[in-house]
Amino acid sequence: MKHLLLAAIVSTGAWAWAGSASAQDAAAGAIVFKTQCAGCHSPLEGKNVVGPSLFGIVGRQAGQVPGFKYSAANKESGKTWDEATLNAYITNPQAVVPKTIMPYAGLKNDTQRADLIAYLATIK
């Protein structure tokens, strides 16, 4: 019984480690950005499209990109886009900022989301 418990702990730990290692893949996150975000967002500073520029998003206060017309919900959310808040928002934008006008159902794949956030952290 102890061997089975130890095997379960070790294999769970190895799986968690492997998941966190791939979660740091900013290059894979750049691909996720291109397929999931680039239709509405630019990674370039000052370049707003349908959505605001995501340049410098990690650590930025929500609703603060100059020249972009945000929804009242986003502007008044009081959110700061840290990794945990981005993770929740990218999973389900409407759950994190009710009445947001971002028409995105969310990215449900944990690894892709973590990779995307790793990429977003590099564009500053």
Side-chain angles (χ1 to χ4, degrees), residues 30-123:
I31 295 167
V32 175
F33 181 87
K34 287 178 186 174
T35 62
Q36 296 287 314
C37 311
C40 295
H41 296 279
S42 170
L44 302 176
E45 185 173 18
K47 184 176 181 188
N48 298 321
V49 226
V50 174
S53 167
L54 296 183
F55 181 87
I57 184 82
V58 178
R60 184 172 72 210
Q61 191 76 21
Q64 301 300 311
V65 172
F68 187 79
K69 186 176 182 198
Y70 287 93
S71 66
N74 196 299
K75 243 190 319 191
E76 298 166 5
S77 70
K79 304 277 185 208
T80 297
W81 298 122
D82 58 23
E83 290 182 14
T85 304
L86 281 167
N87 186 52
Y89 188 75
I90 295 166
T91 302
N92 186 347
Q94 290 75 20
V96 175
V97 180
K99 298 185 182 178
T100 185
I101 59 172
M102 183 166 148
Y104 183 66
L107 180 59
K108 306 307 182 206
N109 183 293
D110 295 338
T111 301
Q112 288 180 334
R113 213 169 43 252
D115 290 345
L116 174 60
I117 293 167
Y119 168 71
L120 292 174
T122 69
I123 54 174

